[in-house]
């Protein structure tokens, strides 16, 4: 057989495959989500996220030092708020001595160079478990945005490098940017969850923070997974309003969206390899049905190949171990 082109030539050995390989993971690709709890010396495994923990602040400080020593340079903080601090205003979210604010200060003191990003949304503080303020059964937009601005400023005051609004209210990026400017936090960035879909894959995360919505679902603010063009619209608006980094979330069922967004914007794109995506790999691996390490590398590489410059993932430490 005479063939003008033989594509298998560049797949012949490890050597040539590595020479032509297009996508490489490095520790700089990852953002490490951390779940933080009150108390001391507490390390609680999250039932639906085996191998992932909610830690008290003293344990978190040690964890952050370890992350830094592995070359992991950014963390994304989530805190579990006590039930008695939850209400419909979410005011605990901007308490300057709240768990989030104490966590930011402690992490910055432990590892000053660690890039600290913080989740901005009301759900961990809401008695309804919604990302916004509830009135007559509706999640009200504009009052929620005012609360998110206060929350962002209080994170900046505590020393956060970047706030990450994950709520999907309209106009929040512009309002937060204005709030930061007016309060002279000119070096604090915004990583916007720009295209965040209403997804069943957030389930394990809501277990981790005990933050599942008390009524209804999040479909009036998070996006419909049937939609693609809308993701580009949302993201372009966030860039216009002042987002420094944009995000697509979840990642795995949304690789097309990551690519669309990557092609549309001129800011770094991140993707969130979320809790349900973690849980699926863990569960299948525990059954012996897939190889966990190989699955981690394949999934993370595919998210990067789709166009993500940064990946928030619960597999960050595993990935660094596997690529080094
Ligand atoms: C809440 C928030 C969620 C996640 C990050 N921030 C859950 C939700 O929107 O209900 C999900 C992260 C994950 O599943 O890993 N604002």
């Amino acid at each position: 057989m005479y063939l003008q082109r033989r594509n298998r030539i560049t797949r012949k050995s490890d050597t040539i495959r590595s020479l032509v390989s297009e996508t490489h993971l490095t520790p700089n690709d990852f953002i490490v989500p951390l779940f933080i709890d009150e108390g001391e010396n507490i390390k609680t495994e999250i039932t639906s996220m085996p191998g992932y923990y909610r830690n008290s602040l003293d344990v978190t400080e040690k964890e952050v030092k370890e992350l830094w020593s592995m070359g992991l340079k950014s963390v994304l903080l989530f805190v579990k708020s006590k039930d008695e601090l939850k209400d419909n205003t979410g005011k605990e979210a901007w308490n300057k001595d709240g768990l989030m604010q104490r966590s930011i200060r402690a992490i910055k003191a432990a590892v000053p160079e660690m890039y600290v990003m913080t989740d901005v949304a009301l759900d961990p503080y809401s008695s309804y478990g919604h990302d916004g303020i509830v009135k007559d059964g509706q999640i009200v937009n504009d009052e929620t945005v005012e609360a998110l601005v206060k929350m962002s400023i209080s994170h900046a005051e505590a020393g956060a490098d970047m706030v990450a609004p994950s709520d999907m209210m309209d106009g929040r990026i512009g309002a937060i940017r204005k709030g930061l400017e007016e309060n002279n936090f000119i070096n604090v960035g915004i990583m916007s969850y720009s295209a965040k879909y209403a997804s069943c894959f957030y389930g394990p995360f809501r277990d981790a923070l005990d933050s599942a919505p008390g009524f209804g679902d999040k479909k009036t603010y998070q996006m419909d997974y049937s939609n693609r063009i809308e993701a580009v619209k949302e993201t372009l608006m966030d860039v216009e309003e002042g987002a420094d980094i944009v995000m697509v979330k979840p990642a795995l069922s949304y690789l097309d969206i990551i690519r669309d967004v990557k092609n549309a914007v001129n800011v770094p794109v991140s993707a969130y390899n979320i809790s349900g995506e973690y849980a699926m790999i863990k569960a299948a691996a525990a059954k012996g049905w897939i190889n966990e390490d190989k699955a981690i590398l394949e999934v993370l590489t595919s998210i990067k190949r789709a166009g993500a410059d940064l990946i928030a993932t619960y597999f960050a430490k595993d990935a660094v171990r596997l690529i080094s």
Side-chain angles (χ1 to χ4, degrees):
M1 192 174 174
Y2 169 85
L3 283 180
Q4 189 68 37
R5 296 197 60 87
R6 288 187 180 270
N7 295 334
R8 293 180 59 193
I9 288 170
T10 51
R11 294 183 207 132
K12 181 170 158 280
S13 65
D14 271 344
T15 307
I16 182 65
R17 284 194 296 271
S18 64
L19 290 172
V20 300
S21 139
E22 297 174 35
T23 309
H24 308 107
L25 296 170
T26 86
N28 291 322
D29 295 328
F30 305 121
I31 300 168
V32 186
L34 295 177
F35 299 126
I36 307 172
D37 210 343
E38 291 286 3
E40 247 172 77
N41 202 17
I42 287 173
K43 189 172 163 126
T44 315
E45 188 169 32
I46 296 148
T47 316
S48 48
M49 299 178 72
Y52 220 78
Y53 299 84
R54 204 173 54 232
N55 295 329
S56 54
L57 206 35
D58 51 335
V59 178
T60 302
E61 285 171 37
K62 285 186 208 125
E63 175 72 12
V64 168
K65 286 181 186 159
E66 187 190 334
L67 294 173
W68 185 261
S69 74
M70 297 174 74
L72 290 161
K73 297 177 188 156
S74 71
V75 289
L76 177 56
L77 309 185
F78 297 93
V79 299
K80 182 172 186 293
S81 196
K82 288 188 189 145
D83 275 345
E84 63 264 31
L85 297 173
K86 297 184 184 186
D87 64 19
N88 187 32
T89 67
K91 65 177 183 312
E92 177 61 15
W94 54 93
N95 173 359
K96 70 177 180 16
D97 294 314
L99 181 55
M100 175 62 95
Q101 290 75 2
R102 279 181 280 133
S103 301
I104 298 166
R105 290 194 289 265
I107 291 169
K108 276 300 199 186
V111 186
E113 287 167 290
M114 181 59 85
Y115 200 80
V116 174
M117 305 186 181
T118 57
D119 187 63
V120 170
L122 295 185
D123 50 321
Y125 307 96
S126 155
S127 39
Y128 292 106
H130 272 289
D131 290 28
I133 294 164
V134 177
K135 282 207 171 145
D136 303 324
Q138 309 285 318
I139 289 73
V140 292
N141 193 85
D142 302 8
E143 282 164 64
T144 300
V145 170
E146 283 172 34
L148 298 171
V149 172
K150 285 188 239 174
M151 187 175 181
S152 300
I153 291 169
S154 98
H155 292 182
E157 271 164 1
D161 294 294
M162 192 168 265
V163 293
S166 67
D167 56 286
M168 291 299 281
M169 298 300 128
D170 288 329
R172 90 272 205 224
I173 300 304
I176 291 171
R177 174 57 77 204
K178 183 163 170 281
L180 292 172
E181 282 288 316
E182 285 172 357
N183 288 275
N184 221 8
F185 292 114
I186 55 169
N187 292 318
V188 175
I190 304 174
M191 177 169 74
S192 167
Y193 289 62
S194 306
K196 176 170 176 179
Y197 287 86
S199 168
C200 76
F201 295 107
Y202 302 143
F205 172 95
R206 294 174 188 172
D207 288 345
L209 295 189
D210 186 23
S211 62
F215 70 89
D217 52 38
K218 298 193 174 183
K219 290 182 184 166
T220 69
Y221 42 108
Q222 298 177 351
M223 287 172 49
D224 177 349
Y225 56 69
S226 323
N227 297 350
R228 190 169 166 187
I229 296 165
E230 191 184 2
V232 174
K233 176 186 75 174
E234 283 278 3
T235 309
L236 289 175
M237 284 178 69
D238 284 358
V239 173
E240 189 109 320
E241 289 177 34
D244 300 285
I245 299 177
V246 293
M247 183 191 276
V248 175
K249 177 181 179 184
L252 271 192
S253 304
Y254 301 85
L255 296 176
D256 56 332
I257 309 297
I258 295 173
R259 174 46 60 184
D260 283 349
V261 164
K262 177 69 182 166
N263 289 344
V265 300
N266 58 3
V267 297
V269 174
S270 62
Y272 201 139
N273 174 218
I274 60 160
S275 59
E277 298 169 2
Y278 175 89
M280 287 193 290
I281 289 183
K282 285 287 180 180
K287 293 245 181 202
W289 292 343
I290 58 168
N291 177 305
E292 179 171 333
D293 287 350
K294 289 182 177 169
I296 291 170
L297 289 179
E298 185 170 338
V299 160
L300 294 175
T301 304
S302 71
I303 295 170
K304 185 165 182 182
R305 188 197 63 225
D309 301 292
L310 286 163
I311 306 169
T313 177
Y314 305 100
F315 288 122
K317 280 166 84 173
D318 299 286
V320 170
R321 178 176 48 81
L322 292 167
I323 59 187
S324 56

